[in-house]
Amino acid sequence: MALTAGTEGGRSGPKQAGGRLRRCDSGLDEEEEEEEEEEEEGREQPCGLGPGPEYGGGSSGERCDSAYSSGPLDSFGSRCSLGSSAKAPAQETAFNPWAYLSKEGDTFLHLCIIHQAESLALTFIGQSSLEYLNWQNDLYQTPLHLAMYTRQASIVRHLVVLGADAELQDRNGNTPLHLACLYGLEESARALTRPLSAQERRCRGHREPADTPRNLERHNWQGLTCLHLAVLSQNDRMVEHVLYSGARVNTQEATSGRTALHLAVELGDLGLVSRLLRAGGDPDAPMYNGCTPLHLAAGRMDPGIASALCQAGADPLLPNMEEDTPVDLANSNWNILELFPFDDVRLVGQPVAV
């Protein structure tokens, strides 16, 4: 894509001796044809905003000091300029990429990320202020959101290293980590959350060197945290990563008060239920209506999950707001002996399975 708009030189038609124009066989004066050509050639061409071929995607393994070099931008102003008309004064206005804003509110960095021009994006990241790195477009998306959507983990990491705010929310209330959990972007999630290395701290220069704690309990506008989204996606590795990063397992979603364990029970995913129980999930955690995960398992007639919850200490006689216990729900829907393992019957001090 051309970054400059040039003008072609005018071509003169054939002339007779003495400087007088001869007429064509068609009857059109050559002088009129010259004027039409000059009008077409003198029209101003638009300035292309995309990067040139030399700004193609770079390797994600580049060292941070070379990735932030100013090389691609040294001649950027001279390469991208407003074209001049053939009839206008021969003066070009330099294009300032940091002052550019599209009609959708995208900065030039937004566009570099959208079009996956990684090398140019890294250069802009290294030379931009925090205000520029955190700019939200009309959909409230920051460059970090767009790097997540386009699965560019290298750009995600460089934005984090230079202090981009990972807690800003888009129009759906999603932070970049919400998006990673929603779409299963494991590599990008690791790039977003892992601690800064000593070399990365040096790359931050004058900016704050300390890691800022991320609020993993932030809800999006659907009332869901990152852990809730990872569970709903049934992505075991993402659930593991979010829990390892410090997410609280018993946080309630905002619409009905379900915990991640409630959601796993509703999905019928015994593996996720077991994982959340090992992480400290409360088998008696109540929803806003008082229902525990065991109420949900009994209502769904799921003996495997009900057994796992009971073995983790769930109370089958705990009533909800309608005074129904899990046993009441089991009596009306299923064989109670298949739902609940009554292991408190003992013979000679040993438990007897019923």
Side-chain angles (χ1 to χ4, degrees), residues 262 283-296 298 314-330 340:
H262 285 91
D284 286 334
M287 297 167 53
Y288 296 154
N289 63 3
C291 286
T292 67
L294 190 55
H295 280 91
L296 301 183
D315 186 354
L317 300 177
L318 195 64
N320 60 18
M321 293 184 65
E322 296 179 355
E323 299 301 323
D324 290 326
T325 68
V327 171
D328 295 331
L329 298 178
F340 303 115

Side-chain angles (χ1 to χ4, degrees), residues 46-58:
C47 173
L49 295 182
E54 67 270 32
Y55 298 150

Side-chain angles (χ1 to χ4, degrees), residues 50-167:
E54 67 270 32
Y55 298 150
S59 170
S60 60
E62 294 176 344
R63 293 174 59 246
C64 62
D65 51 354
S66 62
Y68 300 145
S69 65
S70 59
L73 291 183
D74 288 341
S75 60
F76 189 83
S78 62
R79 289 180 56 80
C80 187
S81 58
L82 298 177
S84 59
S85 170
K87 297 182 180 180
Q91 182 177 2
E92 292 185 346
T93 304
F95 174 73
N96 183 358
W98 279 275
Y100 174 81
L101 201 64
S102 76
K103 63 181 180 180
E104 292 85 12
D106 291 312
T107 65
F108 202 81
L109 178 57
H110 283 88
L111 296 179
C112 290
I113 295 172
I114 290 171
H115 295 289
Q116 301 189 34
E118 182 178 304
S119 179
L120 187 56
L122 293 177
T123 301
F124 268 83
I125 292 169
Q127 298 190 18
S128 301
S129 65
L130 277 178
E131 181 182 7
Y132 189 84
L133 296 182
N134 292 327
W135 183 270
Q136 293 174 284
N137 63 16
D138 291 351
L139 299 179
Y140 293 92
Q141 297 165 330
T142 65
L144 199 49
H145 284 97
L146 295 179
M148 280 289 181
Y149 274 120
T150 54
R151 300 170 183 261
Q152 298 182 78
S154 176
I155 292 180
V156 169
R157 189 58 184 172
H158 282 86
L159 285 167
V160 170
V161 168
L162 289 184
D165 191 344
E167 295 187 21

Side-chain angles (χ1 to χ4, degrees), residues 195-217:
L196 297 182
S197 66
Q199 181 181 2
E200 289 173 334
R201 289 177 182 275
R202 288 194 296 270
C203 288
R204 294 186 74 151
H206 64 281
R207 305 186 187 190
E208 286 296 327
D211 293 328
T212 55
R214 293 176 177 84
N215 183 6
L216 297 177
E217 312 309 314

